[in-house]
Amino acid sequence: MASNARLDHRNPLVIDTHELGRRPGAMQRLTREVDAPRDLGLEGVIGVPEGAPLELDLRLESVMEGVLVTGTARASAKGECVRCLEPVGLELEAAFQEMFSYPDADDRGRVIAEPGDDAEDDEDRQYIEDGLIDLEPLLRDAVVLALPMQPVCQDDCQGLCSECGARLTDDPEHHHDATDIRWAALQGLADTMSDGEKDEMSGDVPRSARADEKQEK
C-alpha cells in the first residue's frame, strides 16, 4: 500500500491521471525530461548522477482496476571499471511497466468497501492517490535491472598489476621478475657479511691464513 505521505503534484516524477478519468480504454502519451533523483543506480558502482537529464516516454492506459503505465527511461550513467578503476560511462535505456490500482477497486475493477483488507496483496500493489501516481520507485527498480552489476571499461580489460598498480591494458608486456622469498632472505644476509665471513661459510680459507700456515711449516 502507498505510504501515508501525500504525493506532491509538483514532483516531476509524480504523474496526474485525472485526464484519463475512470474510462477503460482511454489512453494518454507523455514525453518529459526531468532531473534524475539522487542515488539512482547501484550505490558505489554505477548510476545516473543526481540532476542529470532523464528522458521519459510514457503511455498511460485506463483499465477497469486502475491505470497501466508503460514507459522507457533514457539517461547517461557513470561509474568506474571494477577491474582497473578507470571511469566508465554508458547510455542507459530502461523499460518498465506497472499497474497502479484504484484504492477502492478489486482485481476486477469492482468497488470494495474496505480497501487493503488483504495486507499481503496490498504490499505488492502500487496505488493511485488522489489521481496521482509516483513513478520514482518503479523507475529505480527498472534502472537497477538495466545497469551492469560489474561495469568494465572494455570487455578485455586486464585490470591492475597486483604489485605496483599499473594498468595492464596500457602495457601488455608489464611484469615483475619473480624472486623466491627464501633466496631473497639469504641474499640480504650475504650482503651484510664481510668477505672473510663469506669465505668461512663457503668453506674456503682466506689467503692470509694459508700464508701463515706455510711459514709455520
Side-chain angles (χ1 to χ4, degrees):
M1 188 71 176
S3 63
N4 293 329
R6 296 178 64 87
L7 296 180
D8 185 352
H9 69 278
R10 295 170 296 183
N11 184 329
L13 292 177
V14 171
I15 306 298
D16 191 333
T17 68
H18 283 99
E19 185 175 327
L20 290 173
R22 295 184 68 160
R23 304 186 307 274
M27 185 175 70
Q28 182 181 11
R29 291 184 180 275
L30 297 174
T31 300
R32 61 176 56 178
E33 182 176 297
V34 302
D35 292 338
R38 63 182 303 178
D39 300 328
L40 185 60
L42 300 169
E43 185 176 0
V45 181
I46 190 170
V48 180
E50 181 179 2
L54 182 65
E55 297 179 5
L56 299 175
D57 289 328
L58 305 171
R59 185 180 68 190
L60 282 59
E61 300 175 77
S62 178
V63 295
M64 289 291 293
E65 64 269 28
V67 175
L68 178 65
V69 178
T70 304
T72 303
R74 299 180 182 86
S76 297
K78 296 182 179 180
E80 65 179 27
C81 177
V82 295
R83 298 178 187 170
C84 70
L85 307 182
E86 286 292 305
V88 171
L90 60 85
E91 295 304 310
L92 168 74
E93 182 169 305
F96 51 87
Q97 185 175 72
E98 185 68 47
M99 171 64 71
F100 288 81
S101 301
Y102 296 121
D104 60 350
D106 64 9
D107 289 336
R108 298 182 181 180
R110 299 176 301 188
V111 175
I112 54 178
E114 295 293 336
D117 286 342
D118 190 335
E120 183 176 352
D121 184 53
D122 287 347
E123 186 177 349
D124 296 333
R125 288 191 181 189
Q126 298 291 333
Y127 283 88
I128 300 172
E129 300 179 36
D130 298 326
L132 304 176
I133 58 178
D134 185 6
L135 294 182
E136 186 169 338
L138 174 61
L139 184 62
R140 288 187 179 280
D141 290 344
V143 167
V144 168
L145 290 175
L147 288 171
M149 299 295 290
Q150 294 187 317
V152 292
C153 58
Q154 57 190 64
D155 292 339
D156 59 350
C157 176
Q158 300 298 309
L160 302 176
C161 173
S162 60
E163 294 192 37
C164 68
R167 189 168 182 263
L168 299 178
T169 304
D170 296 335
D171 184 8
E173 302 300 324
H174 179 86
H175 71 280
H176 295 270
D177 293 331
T179 303
D180 191 313
I181 59 174
R182 296 169 297 181
W183 291 112
L186 290 175
Q187 181 62 44
L189 177 61
D191 292 341
T192 62
M193 295 170 60
S194 64
D195 292 339
E197 290 174 326
K198 293 179 182 179
D199 290 338
E200 290 178 5
M201 289 190 64
S202 63
D204 294 334
V205 179
R207 292 181 179 178
S208 58
R210 289 198 296 269
D212 293 340
E213 183 179 349
K214 290 180 179 179
Q215 289 178 359
E216 291 175 358
K217 290 180 180 179

